């Protein structure tokens, strides 16, 4: 199973989501590899280099975008789940990443800029999905509310907007029930080389555990 975490805007939490999904799935007994395609930053590699030796090793590879499809398919022969950590661009590279995946996760923050970026990505995704449907390859895109301040007007408006987009595009977009809230522990884990499932923040562990359960249910649909 190949999962892409992608979008057209930076700062939405793509790498945070990628690394935490990897840890969560590993704790559920899945073998996981992360492919870091963010050329110039390779944030997942930085995260991995900080990982404590006593914790389970996470397979991380850096791969140029033009080779992402072949490498993802190769890694999928050896791992239960391959996670593609995508670079934020409105280019062919984003389309390649989407086309290589089975499941696409697009983190969206409750801001005007992030919502506009999501809408631009979604237009690109619809083209990729149409091509994939023509060749009989199933791909599913999921919006994930990310870095949200709990109980705010922005949270409510983001939920409503994503539901509106979903209703206007039947069968092309799904949304996670889980919301990833703005918590300091996520930023700390980026520096520690860990996932929130390995830390002691109960609220963060609970919401990430809910997301992992949703992802496993989606995987079982394929």
């Amino acid at each position: 199973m190949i999962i892409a975490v992608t979008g057209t805007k930076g700062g939405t939490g793509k790498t945070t989501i990628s690394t935490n999904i990897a840890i969560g799935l590993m704790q559920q007994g899945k073998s996981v590899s992360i492919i870091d395609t963010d050329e110039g930053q390779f944030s997942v590699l930085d995260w991995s280099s900080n990982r404590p030796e006593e914790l389970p090793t996470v397979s991380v590879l850096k791969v140029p975008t033009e080779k992402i499809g072949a490498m993802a398919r190769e890694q999928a022969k050896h791992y239960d789940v391959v996670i593609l950590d995508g670079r934020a661009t409105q280019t062919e590279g984003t389309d390649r990443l989407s086309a290589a995946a089975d499941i696409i996760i697009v983190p969206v923050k409750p801001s005007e800029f992030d919502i506009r970026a999501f809408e631009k990505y979604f237009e690109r995704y619809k083209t990729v999905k149409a091509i994939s449907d023509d060749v009989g390859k199933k791909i599913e895109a999921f919006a994930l509310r990310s870095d949200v301040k709990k109980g705010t007007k922005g949270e409510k408006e983001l939920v409503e907007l994503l539901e509106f987009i979903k209703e206007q595009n039947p069968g092309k977009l799904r949304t996670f029930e889980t919301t990833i809230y703005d918590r300091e522990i996520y930023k700390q884990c980026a520096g520690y080389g860990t996932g929130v499932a390995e830390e002691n923040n109960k609220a963060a562990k609970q919401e990430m555990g809910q997301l992992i359960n949703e992802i496993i249910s989606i995987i079982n649909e394929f």
Side-chain angles (χ1 to χ4, degrees), residues 3-7 13-15 17-18 21 83-86 97 105-107:
I3 300 174
V5 184
T6 188
K14 290 185 291 297
T15 298
I17 299 301
S18 295
I21 286 174
I83 298 172
L84 311 180
D85 185 59
L97 200 77
I105 299 174
V106 189

Side-chain angles (χ1 to χ4, degrees), residues 6-48:
T6 188
T8 60
K9 186 180 179 300
T12 58
K14 290 185 291 297
T15 298
T16 295
I17 299 301
S18 295
T19 53
N20 276 281
I21 286 174
I23 298 302
L25 289 173
M26 287 172 62
Q27 289 193 344
Q28 294 296 317
K30 303 289 187 184
S31 59
V32 180
S33 177
I34 308 177
I35 297 180
D36 192 342
T37 70
D38 193 355
E39 298 175 65
Q41 292 192 20
F42 293 117
S43 299
V44 178
L45 279 174
D46 290 343
W47 170 85
S48 179

Side-chain angles (χ1 to χ4, degrees), residues 185-209:
I185 187 64
Y186 287 112
K187 301 177 182 69
Q188 293 171 349
C189 286
Y192 298 160
T194 60
V196 295
E198 298 168 317
E199 302 293 343
N200 294 319
N201 187 300
K202 183 177 179 180
K205 290 174 77 168
Q206 182 175 359
E207 71 192 20
M208 189 54 63

